[in-house]
Amino acid sequence: MPSTRNTRVIVCAWCLFWALMTLIAVQDYRRGGGSALWQPLLWEGSSALVISLLWLVQRRASARHAGLLDRPWRWFALQAAWLPMYWLAFVPLAFGIRHAVYAMAGEVYRHDPWPQLFVYEISKVSLFVCLFTVIAFGLLSWRRLLEERLRLERATALLRQAELQRLAQQVQPHFLFNALNTVSSLMHTDVDKADATLVRLCELLRATLRAGEQAQSSLAAELGLARAYAEVMSARFGTRVRLDWRVGDALLPLRLPTLSLQPLLENVFKHTVEQRQAPTSIAVSALRDGADLLVRVEDDAGRLAGPEDGARPGGVGLANLRARLDNLYGPGATLTLSQLAPAGVRAEMRLPCAP
């Protein structure tokens, strides 16, 4: 794309330059009393044709020197080596065309003596070539800068993708470890329930593995995984947990990081439900706040160890989620823990809305 754009810019600049030169030649010719407009068109047209051909020869032959753009003096020296080609070829070719066309028209093309003509034309062509060489250097340098930036962006994207894959792979074993602990606990109290939970766990793991292949998924998909996880955990804790889901249908298509809601729910089960015998109410909600999506998981019994813990990762799951949020959204996304009164902890994930 940058190469095509540069070519268009050079061609446009080239055409505009020769259009201007032709217009000036026509005006000077008519001001001098001339009436045969084909003559100034021939003069400038022959010059444009010959210089264009010589310039193409130079550009094709010197394309291999593109690697020297970071050493301008070396690059310009190699371009200057082409000047003798213009000195030797321009006058014979351009003026040969003019003489031939005039002869076919039954006229004689008159000009200054050859020595004087050579000096004048060589000076003019040298100035012209130097001007477009500087322009070409600027455009080639700009293209190289764009290509370097594009390569850097691609490398950064690949690094981000690799980091997200690493983080997703970290979540899955961590989730599996906690889920298997649940099944292990049920084996000692209710084998049938443990068997049913194990089947549900297998279904959940298949869905988790499929989801882990992509960086983002819909809120609907995340809710499905979170509900499945809650069913597995509820089989273990029974009446010790009550869940309330408060998510409007309009928000379901919105995008958020894959496996981002389940760690918030897991944090409550691990640090609150597991630590007490009394029932714990958990509310899962999602709402729009301007251009942001807020996803909250809060309970009515948890406690943070201290005020500073609101900024702490909250374990492997939340530390992992924070890293993924930073990778995907940068400073546009946050994950916070806050103490509720009289008791309870709210985990809130804020991220840009992305349908």
Side-chain angles (χ1 to χ4, degrees), residues 218-240:
S218 66
L219 178 56
E222 286 299 297
L223 278 173
L225 289 173
R227 286 179 184 273
Y229 173 77
E231 288 180 20
V232 172
M233 299 304 289
S234 295
R236 173 182 175 184
F237 295 107
T239 59
R240 288 168 53 188

Side-chain angles (χ1 to χ4, degrees), residues 61-297:
S62 60
R64 64 182 185 274
H65 302 314
L68 298 174
L69 289 172
D70 55 348
R71 289 183 284 171
W73 292 112
R74 174 65 174 161
W75 187 87
F76 278 111
L78 290 171
Q79 302 307 311
W82 287 91
L83 282 175
M85 176 187 70
Y86 293 92
W87 299 341
L88 296 174
F90 175 74
V91 172
L93 292 175
F95 282 78
I97 293 173
R98 296 177 194 179
H99 277 287
V101 174
Y102 267 76
M104 287 187 291
E107 298 189 24
V108 177
Y109 179 53
R110 293 181 174 84
H111 50 75
D112 293 334
W114 287 106
Q116 183 179 345
L117 178 69
F118 263 95
V119 172
Y120 174 76
E121 293 295 335
I122 285 174
S123 301
K124 187 171 68 173
V125 168
S126 298
L127 179 62
F128 172 81
V129 172
C130 290
L131 172 64
F132 267 87
T133 299
V134 171
I135 294 174
F137 176 79
L139 290 173
L140 289 172
S141 298
W142 179 62
R143 183 179 71 181
R144 185 169 182 178
L145 178 63
L146 289 181
E147 289 173 347
E148 289 293 335
R149 184 178 299 173
L150 183 60
R151 280 195 292 269
L152 180 60
E153 289 175 353
R154 286 175 177 171
T156 302
L158 289 174
L159 286 174
R160 286 181 56 209
Q161 184 179 4
E163 176 65 12
L164 287 170
Q165 289 175 348
R166 183 189 69 80
L167 291 170
Q169 290 168 357
Q170 184 186 60
V171 167
Q172 290 160 2
H174 183 257
F175 163 75
L176 179 60
F177 174 78
N178 287 298
L180 287 177
N181 271 345
T182 299
V183 176
S184 176
S185 299
L186 287 172
M187 290 292 291
H188 298 288
T189 57
D190 191 335
V191 175
D192 291 336
K193 196 173 194 179
D195 182 66
T197 303
L198 189 58
V199 172
R200 188 72 180 101
L201 176 60
C202 290
E203 296 173 356
L204 177 58
L205 285 175
R206 276 195 293 270
T208 304
L209 290 171
R210 284 196 300 270
E213 295 174 357
Q214 52 189 358
Q216 292 180 300
S217 60
S218 66
L219 178 56
E222 286 299 297
L223 278 173
L225 289 173
R227 286 179 184 273
Y229 173 77
E231 288 180 20
V232 172
M233 299 304 289
S234 295
R236 173 182 175 184
F237 295 107
T239 59
R240 288 168 53 188
V241 61
R242 294 188 295 267
L243 281 131
D244 183 17
W245 305 88
R246 307 169 186 170
V247 181
D249 292 343
L251 301 179
L252 296 180
L254 296 180
R255 309 286 289 178
L256 65 164
T258 300
L259 299 174
S260 58
L261 182 54
Q262 181 270 330
L264 302 182
L265 201 54
E266 180 182 351
N267 196 57
V268 179
F269 276 102
K270 181 178 180 181
H271 296 288
T272 302
V273 178
E274 217 174 81
Q275 307 300 322
R276 61 198 304 265
Q277 294 300 316
T280 300
S281 294
I282 304 173
V284 179
S285 62
L287 58 113
R288 291 285 293 265
D289 182 19
D292 294 337
L293 171 66
L294 296 184
V295 178
R296 292 171 177 165
V297 175

